[in-house]
Structures are given as C-alpha cells and as structure tokens.
Amino acid sequence: MFIVPFLICFPLVMAFLMFVIREKKLQAAIAYIGAAVIMAGAIVLFMQWLTNGSTRISLYGSEGMVDHLILAGELALMVLVTVLCFKYRKYWICLLSIIPTLAVAYYELTGPELKAMARVRIDTLTVLMVLIIGIIGSLIVIYAIGYMDGYHKHYKDVEDRRYYFFMLLFAFLGAMFGFVMTDSLLWLILFWETTSVCSFMLIGYTRTDEAINNAFRALWMNLLGGCGLSAGVVVFGYMTQLGSISGLVYQVVQNSDVYALLAVTLIAFAALTKSAQLPFSTWLMGAMVAPTPSSALLHSATMVKAGIYILYRLSPAMGGRATGTMIALVGGFTFLMASIMAIAQTDAKKVLAFSTISNLGLMVACAGIGKKETLWAGIFLMIFHAISKSLLFQDVGATENTTHSRDIESMHGLIYRVPKLAIFMFIGIAAMFLAPFGMLVSKWSALRAAVDERDIVVALLIAFGSATTAFYWTKWLGKIISPTHNVIHSEIKDITKPGENLSLTVHAVLMIALCIVFPFLSDTLVKGIVLDTYGSYAPVIPTMVLYSLVGIVVVVFLIPLIAWRIGKERKHNVKLAYMNGINTGTNTGFIDSFGNEKQLWMSNYYFENVCGEEKIMVPSQMVAIVAVIVMICMAIGGAL
Amino acid sequence: MGKILKFAPTIIKNLFSKPVTVNYPAEPYNYPERSRGHIEIDIDNCIGCGMCTRACPPGALKVNKNAGTWTIDRFDCIACGFCVEKCPKKCLFMVPGYQEPMPGKSEVEYKKSEEQMAKEAEQKRLQAERAAAAKKAAAAKAAAAKAAAEKAAAEKAASEADSKGQPSAAKPEAEKAEEK
Amino acid sequence: MGKRSVIPYGPQHPVLPEPVHLDLVIEDEKVVEAIPNIGFVHRGLESLTEKKDWETMQYVIERTCGICSFMHGMGYITTLEKIFDCEVPDRAKYLRTVWCEFSRIHSHLLWLGLLADAFGFESLFYQCWQIREKILDMVEMTTGGRLISSVNKVGGVLKDITPEMEKVILSTIDTMEKQLLEIKDTFFEDYSVQARTKGVGVLSKEDAYELGCCGPFMRASGIATDMRKMGYCAYGDIDFEPIVSNDGDHFARCYVRMMEVFQSFDIIRQAFSKMPGGEIVLPVKGNPNGEAFVRLEQPRGEAVYYIKTSGKKNLDRFRLRTPTFANLPGLAHILKGCELSDVGLAILTIDPCISCTER
Amino acid sequence: MAEIINPADVLIDIDVTELLPKVMEFKTNGYRISQACAAYINEKYELSYSFTDLNTYEFITLRVVIDVDTEVPSISEIIPAAVFYENEMKELFGVKIKMINLDYDNKLYRINAKAPLGPKEGN
Amino acid sequence: MGKVKRSPWLLHYDGSSCNGCDIEVLACLTPVYDAERFGVMNTGDPMQADILLITGSINSQNAEVVKQLYDQMPRPKVVVAVGVCACTGGVFKECYNVYGGADTVIPVDIYVPGCAARPQSIIDGIVKAVALFQERSDEHDALRKSGKNGRGEEL
Amino acid sequence: MTITSRVICVILYIILGPLIGGLLEGIDRKIAARMQRRVGPPILQPFYDVRKLFSKQVIAVNRAQTFLLMTYFLLMVVTGAMFFAGQDILLCFFILSTAATFLYFAAVVTSSPYSSIGASRELIQMMAYEPAVILTCVGFYLASGTFYVDKIAMSDSIYLFKMPGFFLAFVFIMTIKMRKSPFDTATSHHMHQELVKGLTTEMGAGNLAMFQVTEWYENVFLLGVVALFVLNSQWWSIIAAIVLVVIVYFAEILIDNTNARLKWQQMLKITWIFTLCTAGVNLLVLMLI
Ligand code: SF4
Ligand code: SF4
Ligand code: SF4
Ligand code: SF4
Ligand code: SF4
Ligand code: SF4
Ligand code: SF4
Ligand code: SF4
C-alpha cells in the first residue's frame, strides 16, 4: 500500500514546497494542486481499503530503521521547541519537551526489546479519520488560499508570511495522517508532538504579544499532555514489552493489566489536553488569535480530533472502569460548562471555540463510557462536528473579511446583507443542534447510551448541556435573520473568493447529504468501527428507525419550504414595528427623551455576570483538575 | 421566603361564590340620588341672564336671551354643577342619568315655549310701561307672583323626573339633536 | 454596540398606567441607563388662571387628576381660605377629612391592584379593584361623582353626609377591612410576590432625603413625615401615627400603603365618632388678595399649592407642586440597576400620577 | 391626642446673587427642597425656592425677584432634586437658568408655544 | 366572515387625560363591570387591536403617538373617544398645549361623554363600537371577496 | 398498534387537537374569571377570537414572519402527530424544540424591541424546561425500557408510581410551556405585561391566529404526555388519564391565578433546581433499582 507513506510524506513535501516557493500565484497554484492530491489520496486509500474487503490491514511489521528515524524526529522537535522557548524566554516550558523526549529516547534505546507489531494499521476508524482529514483538511487549505488574501488586506500590520502558514497547514495534515494510521505508540508520540508544535506555531502566526502568549499556553498544555503520553508509553513498554495501541487495549480488556490501565489513564489524560477538555480548555480559546483557517483546522478535522481519536481507540479499555468513569465525567462536565461559557461570548470565533470544547466533551464522555452504543454515537458526533465546525469557521472568517467584524452582534441582519454567507452560516449552526441534523440525533443516542449504562451524572449533564447549547446557537441564528437596524452597515460588498466559496459549498452540501445518507453511514463505516473495536455490533438505533428518521428529516426540511411557498402567496401590508407609538417612521429608531431620534439597538442576552468566562472558567477548571488528579491517583494506586 | 399559593383560599372561595359583576346594560343601573348625571333646564323659567355660561368651566353652554334659547353641548359638559349653583333663577337641575355615547357630537337647544315667549314679551312690555308709568306697579307685582307659582310647578315636575332616575333621561334630547 | 440594547419604554405601554417615556439602555435585561421623558399629558392648566376666574378654576383644578381630585379641589380651596383668612365650620372640616381618606383608600387600593398587575398577578389585581369599587360607590353616594366630587367651596363644603349615609359607610368599611385582610397576607407573605418586591428597587433613607422624595415613597425609606400631622382639616383632632418602614424596597412601599389603608379606615371611624353638627358652609365676600402656600398629604405624598393674587377675579399665579414631581429624581435613582421586568414595577412603586405632575 | 406641628410659613426676599450661598446654607442645615417655581408678575419674574425640614415641618421660601433678562444660576449642582423644577421654569416661563445638571433644553414638555407662562411676545 | 363582534379587542391609549376617564376604562375590565363578558380583551398592542379607546385630550407631544398607534392597527378598526376631554378637550381646551379632542388627529367613530365617563357609559360606548366594528368587518369581507383588492390590500 | 389505528389517532389529533385546545382555553378563561369573581367570556370565546383574527387585514413588520410561523405550526402538528402515532417520544420533543426555535425566529425576525426581548425570554424558557423534558423521556425509557409511545401506553403498569419525580418536573415545566404565571415571562395572556405582548407583539391578524392554534395543538400534545403517565393496557386507564389531565389542567389554572410573574433569572434557577430535585432524584432511584 504505497498510498500510506504517500499520505504521510506528500504533505511534508508540500510543506517544504510552500516554504521555498514564495511567489504568490505559483504558491497558490501549487497549494491547490497539493490539496486536490491529498483529497484524492484519502479517497484512494478509502477505495483500496474497500476493495481489500474493508478489513483491518496491518503493515510494516519490522521497521527498526524507521523507528530510529522517528526517534530522531522527536529529538529534532525537542531541539526546535527548546530553541523557541529560549528565544521567547519561556524557559521552563522546554522542560516539558526535554524530559519526556529524553525519557522516551532512553527507553527506546535501552529499554526491553518490544514484541513484534505492525507499525501501521488501517481499519475502519483509520479510514474514516483519513477521509475527514483528507477531505475537510484539503478544503480548508483551498479556503485558506483565498482567505489569506483577504486577511492580509484587512490586517495590514501583520507581516505576510503565507509561505510559513501554508507550510504549517500541510505539515499538520501529514502529521495527522501519520497519527491516525500508526499503531505504534512510539510513532504516535512523534506525530502527537508534531501536531502540538505545528499548532503552537500556527497560533503564534501574527507574532503579537497576545499571539505569542497564547501560543505558548497551547504549547505547554499540549506538551504536558505529551508528558502523559510518553509516561504512559514508557510504563507500558517496560512492564509488558508491548508498544502498540492495539496491544495496550488488549492488555486491559483481556488481562486487566493494571499497568496497561495506568498507561491508558495517562494517555487518556494526554487526550484531554489535546481535546482541550477542562481544565485544559484555555489553550483552544487562545488559539483564536490565529487566522481563521488554522482555527478551522484545529477545531474540526485535526488537532482536537486527535485526542478524540485516541480516546475512541482506548474506549474499550476504559468502559466500565474507574478511568472511563472519570473521563466520562470530565467530558460531560466540559460539555455543560463550555456550553454555559459559550453563552457569554459575543465573538463568533469564541462561541465556536467553546462549542467545540463542549462538543468534544460529549465525545469524550462517549469514549469514557466506552460501550458500543456510546462509540456509535461518538463517531457520528465526530463526523458531523468536523464538517459543520469547519463550515462555520470558514464562514465566520469570510464574514469577517467582508464585514470587518466577527462580533455576533454585528451580524445583525446578515441574511439581508450578505445572503450567501448567512445561509451557509445558517446551515452550519442548524446542523449543530437542530432537528433533523445528525448532531442532534447523535446527541440523542449518546444520552440513550448513557442511560443504558446507568451513568446518571452524564445523563444529567447531557440533559442540561443540551439546553444551554440550544440557547447560544439559537440566539446567534436569530441575530442573523433579524432585519438590520442600522442602515450604514447594509452597504457591504461580499468579497469572498471563489476558492472560499467552493469550500463552503462543498461543506454545506456534504452536511445536508450526510443527514440523508445517515442510515447508510451507520450500516457501513460506523458499524465497521464498532465491530473493529468491540468485535460485535448492535445498533443503538435500528436501521429501520434510521430510515424512518430520514423520512422525518425530509419532512422537516420540506416544511419550511412549503411554508415559504404558502407564505409568499399571502399579501401583506407592511407596518412599522411596535415602539410604544414613537417610531420615527422607519424601524431603525425612535424619538428619545430629548426629542431627537435615537437609534434602536437590540442585542442578545449574554449573562456575563453568571456565565462569563471569568466567572466560571476557574471554578470549573478546579473541579476538573480534582477529577483528573483523582483519576490518575486511582490508576497509580491500582498499579502499585 | 414566603409561602406559596397564599392566594389560593381566596380564589377558591371566589370560584364558588356569585360573581360581583353587574349585569349592565342588560339590567339598568340604579344611580344614587345625588349622582351628577346631566343638566336639565326649566327653560320657561330661565331669564337668559348668562350667569351659567360665564360660570361653566368648559364653556358648554350658550344662551340667547332674545331668541329665548339655552343650548348645552352635552359632549362638552363636565357635569360639575357649577351652573346650577350659579343660576339666579334656580332653573337648572342636576339629575341622574347620562348622555348616551353617540357617533357624533351634538348640541341640544332648548327653546322657550311660544306662550312663555309671548308672556315674557308681555312682561317686558309691562315692565317698560311700568318704567314709563310708575303708578302701574301693582300690575307688575301680580305678574311676579304668577311667575313664582309657575316656577314651583316646574320644580315639582323636575323632581318627579328626578325620582324616576331613568338612565336614558337625556336620550330624547340627544336623539333630537341627531336629527338635526 | 456590544451587549447593550437601546429601547424605548413608553409612552404607550400596557404596564404604564400613564404615558411617560424612558430611554432605556439595557444589558441582558439590567437597566444601565434610564432617561425619563414627560410631557405627553402636559396641558398647561396653570395658565388657565388668565382665562377663568378663581371660582371656576376650582373645577379645572379638580381635574388636575382624577384620582385625588377631591384633594386637589380642597387644596386649592384651602389656599384661598388661607388668603381670605376665613374660618371653616367644624363639620365641614370633618367631612373633608372623611373624603380625604376616601381618596386615600381608593388611590391606594387602585395602586395595590396596579402593582399586582405589574408583577403579573392578575387575580390579585382584580381582587383589589373589586374592593375599591365600594369606595367609589360611597363617594358617588355622598358627593354625586364617582371620581370627581366637586363638593368644596370656599368656606366649607356643598354637601353633607346624612346619618343614613354614615351608617352605610361604616358598615361598608367593615366589610372592606375584612376583605382587605385576606389579600394583605398575599401581598406580605406570598413567595412569588416577595420574590418580586423584597430587596428590589431599594432607596436608602439618605437618598430619599437627598432626592426630595415624599409621601409613602419616602416613608417606606424610614422617614416619618406626614403632612396630616400639620393638622389641616380635622386631622388635629384625630389620633394617628405616620406609617413607616425602613427597608426602602418595593415591599416596604407596598407595606406602607397597605397599612395606610387600614389606618384610613380607622381615621374615618374616628372622624364619624367625633363629628360635630352644625353649618357646613360659611359665605365669603369679594375676591382674594395676597399669597399663600398650603401643603397637603395626598395619597402620593406632599402636594404644595401656591396662589398669588391681587384682588382681581383672575389669579396672578397658581402653582401646584405634586408629589410625583418631587418623586421623579427618586424614581430615576431606583431605575438604575434594576431589571427590565422591574421597570414597570419601579415606576409604579412611586405611584406616579403623571397627569398632576405635568398639569 | 396627637400633637399638631404647624409652624408658620416664612418668606425671605433675597437677591439673585445670594441665591447659591443661601441654598448652600439651607442644605448644610438639613433642609431639603420642597418646591421651586416661578411667576411672571408685573413684568418681573418671581422665583420661589421653598425649603422644608421634615421634622419640624418648617417651610421657608426664598424669593428672588429678577428682570426678564437676568441670568439665574442653577441650584441643581447643590440640590440634584431641583433639576425638574428648573427645567420647568426654563421651559414654561423662559427664565434664563444656567448650567442645569440634566438640561432638557426646553424639551421637557416639548410644547409648541414658547414660554407660555412667561412674557407675552409681541404684545 | 361570520360575526366578529364577539371578539373586540381594545387598545387603550391615555392622551392628556386627568386619569379620571383612564381609570374608569380600566374599571370597566375589572370584576364589577367585567367587559370581558362581551369578549373584550385589553391588549396593549396596536397590531392586535380592533377598537382604540382614547381618553384625554390631544397635545403637542401625544398627537404623533395617537396617529401612529391608529396607523398600526389593522383594518377594520373603530375609534372611541372616552370622556369630555377626548371628545372636545373639555375644561382644558383653552390651555396652550391642548389641540382639542381626539378627532383633531384621527377620525373618531363614537364619542362617550362624561367627566369622568362612567363605566356604564364606557360599556355603552363599547357596545356601539362593536356594532360598528361588525359593520366594517362585513364591508372588509365583501371587498376581499370581490377580489379586486387582494387580501391585505388597502381597504 | 396497527397502522390503521395509528392513522386514526393522527387524524383525530389533527382534527380534534385545536377543538379540544380551544375549548380548554375557553374553560380556562371562564374558570379564571370566576376565580376573580367575574362572569367572564363565553366558553367559545377563543374560537371567536381566532375567527376574527383570520378575518382581519394581514399586516406584518416582516413578511418572513408568516413563513416562520407556519413552519412552527406545521412542525408542531408533526410533533403531535408523531406522538399520537406512537413514535419515539424523545424524537417528538426534539422536533418540538425545533418548532419552538422557529417560533423564536418568527419573533426576532421583526427586530422590534418587545418582540425581540420576548423572544430572548422564550429562549431562556426553552433552556429552563429542556432538561426536564429530556429527563422525562429518559424516565419513561428507564421505567418501560422503550422510548416508543405506543409501547409505553400499552404496557401493564402505571408509570406514575414509578416516576412521580418526573411527573412533578413535567407538570412544573408545563407551567412554562402553557405560558402560565409565574412563568409567563415571554408572553402572557394576562392583559398587562412588561413586554407588551412579549414575543407575539408583532403578530397580528392571521399570524396571531396561527400562533394561537399552534398553542392549542401544543397543549393537547402536552396533556397527551401527561396522560401517558397513567395509560396502560387496561380500559379504565383511559378514565384515569382523563381524570389526571383534568386535575393537572386545573392545577395549572390555580397556579396561574395565585402567583406573581417571576423574573427569568428566578424562573431558570427554580426550574433547574426543581428538575434536579425531582427528576434527578427519581432518575437516581430508577437507575439504582
Ligand atoms: S350627559 Fe352630558 S350633561 Fe349629562 S352628565 Fe353626561 S356630560 Fe354631563
Ligand atoms: S343662569 Fe339660569 S337663568 Fe341665567 S341663563 Fe343660565 S339658566 Fe338661564
Ligand atoms: S363673572 Fe360676572 S362680573 Fe365677571 S365678567 Fe362674568 S358676569 Fe361680569
Ligand atoms: S355642569 Fe358644569 S360643565 Fe356642565 S354646563 Fe354646568 S357648569 Fe357647565
Ligand atoms: S340675581 Fe337678580 S339681578 Fe342677578 S341676575 Fe338674577 S335677577 Fe338679575
Ligand atoms: S396610575 Fe392611576 S391614574 Fe394613573 S394611569 Fe394608572 S390608573 Fe390611571
Ligand atoms: S398625585 Fe396623581 S392622583 Fe393625586 S392628584 Fe396628583 S395626579 Fe392626581
Ligand atoms: S373628561 Fe374629565 S375625567 Fe375625563 S380625562 Fe377629562 S377631565 Fe379627566
């Protein structure tokens, strides 16, 4: 399977090309081609896997050479991090890189000989991840080409380092491909650290103080996770002479090996940092300073999904064990708290970020409960979330370029001002929480699975979290469709580039299509994943029901259309809005206390005093820290 | 904090008692006797002095001494009763019963009866004569006595109408005004 | 613009009893800024002194407001009496006292009802107004008008209360008192009511003093001043103490007014038990000449009447400072920081009477 | 029997320049404003600022008689509660009051007529 | 369409009234008079109202408000002027800031005199207004049926 | 349940829903009036109102409102139809919340101050009742092992005894859903509200009528859920269900008339705490046994 190394290496080659070719046009052209090739590559892999009978494929049984290369790569990363830390005088952070890397190197070079294992394993989950990364990732790259143009026109004071940006994007994709395809824990560490460092560099793109601070925050949190991962790998390796993920899971599930469980706990801890769960959510918030494509990439297809991916891999090992319970708890708690914090945000990207954290929380909870049903729900959550979040980030970015603001309050009446972007935004947001979109159904099955597992706390957290989630999305949607009350803003030219449009359209179409092929997806990919992971499959929602769901989906889609048709027939007399009898003749203002015209302004509710990030971030971090510490202590206690 | 459903006993009690609602307009309302409803005039007794017009706060009254008319705009009258207090002849009365709502505003004009006009003209003539010839004072006295008797009769009539206290006492005039 | 909304509140708004307007800046629903605007009811009736003589003016001034119409008429007449320096018969003084208290009861019951309505307690509102109707019936029985009584005259009153009427009044008051005791508990003890009134719209004693507030609004902030203590009408002979509360919130204002209704019942009973017989009006001659201030305790607080005249039929200047006018700064003060749902309630708790405020 | 407190009203004539010091003095002595009004009599403005003591029920009026053109300083800086009184005097009488705290600029009542209670223009 | 007169919804706006008529209007809705017997509902929203009750006179500031509220009401609609002030300006008609009765700014259909207008009078006024409302509604329907003015066009 | 009986149920719901809903409202208004010692409107008053509204001139601030309201209406009918066809109850509530979202849109699409604030409050109300709704479904699932309405209704036990906490929570949030005091923050049928007419401020004529009818459908659906608490395969359970529905409805009227309107903060807090204390505890008990 040549395609496997190709998918890992080609993006790296592209990254290099991006770095050397600085001529804008050429660079863009190559980037387009590269993105297309990556997308094609992902599809090719999917095809090959299908033709191979959709079964697990193991490759590269003994690759000592490559293992050493990988180790060298890790060391190189360590050096890079150390240099950067010194450059920006964040000395202590480099310790988080140096210690685990050296520990791993020491273990690698002097530790026990590992039993034979496949370095690469292609199973259904991998294929799904490759598809997500390949398709959404490349679309983001395509989008970014157009976006960065607008971005640098808008932010003149930011140095134009597009080559650097695209280099990182491609490198990121390569690392992600590697991450989801490998079964070797050692390889995993390298790809893990690579994504950490890439995201760190992406966040620092603008090189403002804020960007640099946030970048380092992201770095240390992710490196801390890296420490956990490395520690887990080392402990596991020493105790069992195994070095693969599948081996790890096997040890726990079949042998109830306490050391393996400790390793699982540590790796799960690492996943918490990567997936920006409480108490590590702040890095993802800080990542917002970077240009939007990088946010889109971090939030949808890559980075945070890496944490989720690894948790899904480990979920059989966690189900029914203390680690799983605590992970589920942290996830559920994050789901609720992040959605509450999202309420207080006006910055669209921040809302998206909190929503990402929140939804990841749900996925983490699914993984933590670790049953077939939850995995089923979790996978759907991941798919739908990846697409809609990517769509939303891109759309918010495009909107920001067009209207020069990404404040939700200033999106008032967007549908009248920039209809196209508003419609995409509408689809993206609706997909996040409204019936009939998949996110809601997945949430429903997650709830159901939690109940089946008698996990009362998670069930409660989901019940309350759904309510808060619906709140912030709905008010945003409302903002888009309410007519503008300031005339000045209404004259706006949509400057969205064709590339951006292409990417947005594909996302939106994909989103709607997935709602309809939902049952099919369930029967193929998702079923395969559950089978791969648990060896058996019992659909949470029977396929029959899924098909009837699709029927309802169609009905629910059709209803607004029918209503729209009928509504159009009706003739209306348009009247002034009610303003206590003192309109000024338009709906934009009223006569104020001094007899002058005053502009009406309606703003949404934010509950800053209750839901503000400042108010509840720290307390919820505290709770989560306690949960995480308890989890690790229990695992260590169990091991000793 | 307080108790909940504190009001429940009251409304349950209400639920099982008779409503206090008066069944107006199906059943007419009985106005108390002092009720300041509308102004009635014993026009034949009016001397057209205009005291009432000058007193009337909204200016709802018009008097034409020569034509023998007294006009009230019932859509302007605030039923204050000041004119009644001011009228030197005590020929104005405040009686219960209200002017009905109408689709248009209208004034009601009261005109002295022909005989009264004639009588007054006669009186005037007599007075003039008396002024001219002071010796005919006795005749004037007789006329004054007659006037007093008439007034008493009018008052009696008015109080009869008063005691009936029908709500639409003002209807006829209003309808009359409508027709105009 | 951030997270703030800018909206109009009034003049037409169902919670507002009368047309006033506020420019509201709210955040979520917390009021950040509230600028009041009045003038929707301004007629300019003080200028009518140029056109109407001092006797006719009484009927205009009674219509400054339909709620304490009697008090306005009486205030005007009392000021003239002060200028004339004429003595009013004792019986007239007692009669005036009774009618004053009628005004207070009907005004406070009306207010209690509207307050209930403003915090969304419709049944309670109906209950209050149902009780209130009895007062109006008694006012009509004694004066001939439900709201506007027109019974004052310089030197006394025009109508007497007959012994039969007295009997009816006393027994009606007893039933009213019983009914009111029932709803008193709801106002004072019900959880949902307390949730809306306790600790909301607090006006401290210092602020109440500083901002020139008056009436129950001020007494609810712990200042025990009541113009009736100055002994006008027959109040000098009547035993009562101003009702105060110290919390200064909506609840306290509700408490003060509710208790004042009970006090009024008591005052009416006292008045009837002490009422002398005799004349109800003494005639005066000529036109007034001079100037005088008179202060009365209206249901809403202290009203100041000022007349300046120079012996002509028309007054030189008539001036009416109404309680709501004095309470406006206090209102602006409590509006800030309250919730949008409380805006109507806050406006109500000062028991505004915009029509007399703007005249 | 309850005591009756009924002190006689006091009227003090002062010059416009004395206004602010006097008001300041009242304020420090614990009086508060009860009313303020204007009257246009004999082609002069008579401004009355009444102060009262809530315990003794005293009622003291400061009377300032000024020409139509005289400017009057606002007392709203010292006594915020006077804002609406002063706006009213300004709008209805045309008294030239300077520096009101919250100046509605003759739009408190938003009437069409200009200073209807003040000097009649053109007559 | 059938009888709409069973459901007249009121919008009450208080112009420059002295509150006298204003509170009597409110009193009509309270238990003793209970206008809801006739299906009356007091809505604060012009958009939903059928009958506009105006109390008090019109002055420089509320003229616009009254006009606007009237315009915001959907057809068919009826205006009732309650009290002498709303009919003619009453005692205040000579004040400098009073334009006069409600008919100085909008067409008034029913005049309810009285100062203050009694609840009985107001109920009489409403009953008359309801009859008028039915009439106008029939006209409205006829026009709509005739199809010349498509639904919702100016009637 | 056979297909035919399902279809019959749905058709009955579509036809009888508004009739029963309207009648209930009429009775509600009558009883409320009597509680206030008034005579009150005729029982058929709600129908008169709706008929009148449909005959009025169509006015709107924003034309889109009609389409959004119609979506709200249709989705509500779909919700109820699915419920009475014996479908998944959780799904019903999900579609219900989508319907409610469209109501929110219909209110904000005017950008008018009171309508928008009312809409925001509606959203808060949704946030307040959503957990209780979801938990009630979960409760049914735990008690009966299925989310299917028909299976729940045709079982052998009375779930009310197993899930009293959920029942209380559901009745509690019905106060919000039915726009009854003390939780009628978004809009209110009482005559004076701080938000004028709340989220219905800009709905006039036909649009308001549509809103009204949708509310009737919704109430019938909600009362159907209440009935589900006692319905089982026995014939007498139908009578028991009717009795329960009547009791609940009367309780709502009583609550409506004995409470002041709370502020949304208080509403949210009380509802969530109450939900946790009733449904949450019940959930715990059910999960443990
Ligand atoms: S009908 Fe006219 S005259 Fe009679 S009481 Fe009423 S307002 Fe006065
Ligand atoms: S005051 Fe009496 S007598 Fe004189 S005009 Fe009037 S009604 Fe006639
Ligand atoms: S009141 Fe008498 S004196 Fe004065 S103008 Fe009128 S009629 Fe003449
Ligand atoms: S009752 Fe008053 S308003 Fe009516 S006519 Fe007599 S004086 Fe004029
Ligand atoms: S009192 Fe005598 S003088 Fe005066 S108006 Fe009457 S009749 Fe004439
Ligand atoms: S406070 Fe009284 S007078 Fe003023 S509007 Fe309300 S009810 Fe009418
Ligand atoms: S305070 Fe209000 S009720 Fe009392 S007199 Fe003044 S306006 Fe009328
Ligand atoms: S008609 Fe009379 S009661 Fe009515 S508002 Fe005018 S003055 Fe007041």
Side-chain angles (χ1 to χ4, degrees), chain A residues 92-341:
Chain A
W92 62 275
I93 292 178
C94 64
L95 291 181
L96 289 176
S97 174
I98 294 170
I99 295 172
T101 313
L102 291 184
V104 169
Y106 178 76
Y107 149 77
E108 176 72 7
L109 298 173
T110 69
E113 186 65 20
L114 296 183
K115 298 195 180 115
M117 61 171 188
R119 303 296 193 275
V120 169
R121 180 191 52 178
I122 310 290
D123 63 3
T124 326
L125 183 57
T126 307
V127 170
L128 177 68
M129 291 304 293
V130 167
L131 280 177
I132 292 178
I133 298 162
I135 296 175
I136 298 179
S138 327
L139 284 174
I140 292 173
V141 172
I142 291 172
Y143 166 85
I145 300 166
Y147 176 88
M148 290 312 282
D149 238 24
Y151 181 85
H152 282 291
K153 279 199 191 107
H154 184 181
Y155 296 100
K156 291 265 188 302
D157 45 343
V158 176
E159 188 194 342
D160 189 345
R161 294 190 294 153
R162 252 178 262 187
Y163 61 92
Y164 178 74
F165 190 76
F166 285 109
M167 174 189 86
L168 287 172
L169 288 189
F170 278 110
F172 212 125
L173 290 182
M176 278 308 292
F177 279 132
F179 189 81
V180 298
M181 290 197 285
T182 180
D183 195 30
S184 157
L185 287 168
L186 189 67
W187 289 30
L188 197 71
I189 293 176
L190 170 73
F191 293 125
W192 178 281
E193 301 287 5
T194 313
T195 57
S196 296
V197 173
C198 278
S199 65
F200 155 71
M201 283 156 68
L202 276 173
I203 297 168
Y205 177 74
T206 56
R207 285 189 181 156
T208 58
D209 286 349
E210 192 196 1
I212 289 166
N213 278 333
N214 291 351
F216 275 99
R217 188 182 322 128
L219 185 65
W220 79 254
M221 284 189 174
N222 278 302
L223 288 179
L224 187 66
C227 292
L229 177 62
S230 306
V233 170
V234 171
V235 167
F236 182 60
Y238 270 115
M239 291 303 173
T240 62
Q241 286 83 46
L242 286 173
S244 70
I245 303 171
S246 39
L248 180 61
V249 175
Y250 180 84
Q251 279 296 325
V252 177
V253 176
Q254 298 299 321
N255 303 339
S256 297
D257 185 330
V258 285
Y259 293 104
L261 187 60
L262 176 59
V264 166
T265 310
L266 289 171
I267 296 174
F269 164 77
L272 289 185
T273 65
K274 190 119 281 193
S275 298
Q277 294 300 286
L278 283 170
F280 307 108
S281 304
T282 38
W283 77 258
L284 194 59
M285 300 312 303
M288 295 293 88
V289 295
T292 302
S294 64
S295 310
L297 204 60
L298 295 186
H299 282 263
S300 58
T302 62
M303 195 64 180
V304 294
K305 290 288 168 359
I308 299 298
Y309 161 79
I310 197 74
L311 282 174
Y312 284 165
R313 280 261 178 252
L314 298 179
S315 74
M318 293 192 293
R321 294 187 169 77
T323 303
T325 313
M326 296 313 281
I327 289 284
L329 197 66
V330 171
F333 185 66
T334 307
F335 173 58
L336 178 64
M337 295 322 280
S339 67
I340 290 178
M341 282 184 266

Side-chain angles (χ1 to χ4, degrees), chain B residues 39-43 45-55 61-65 69-70 83-84 86-92 112:
Chain B
I39 298 290
E40 283 292 336
I41 183 168
D42 170 16
I43 183 72
N45 235 353
C46 171
I47 52 170
C49 65
M51 286 293 276
C52 51
T53 22
R54 286 186 289 275
L61 299 178
K62 272 185 261 166
V63 176
N64 188 332
K65 193 170 166 141
T69 58
W70 181 90
C83 50
V84 178
K86 280 287 177 180
C87 176
K89 296 294 290 180
K90 297 286 165 247
C91 62
L92 292 175
K112 289 192 185 185

Side-chain angles (χ1 to χ4, degrees), chain A residues 87 94 121 176 188 212 243 273 305 395 398 402 486-487 509 522 545 559 563:
Chain A
K87 184 172 167 200
C94 64
R121 180 191 52 178
M176 278 308 292
L188 197 71
I212 289 166
T273 65
K305 290 288 168 359
D395 196 69
T402 303
N486 51 358
V487 197
V509 170
S522 164
V545 181
I559 281 177

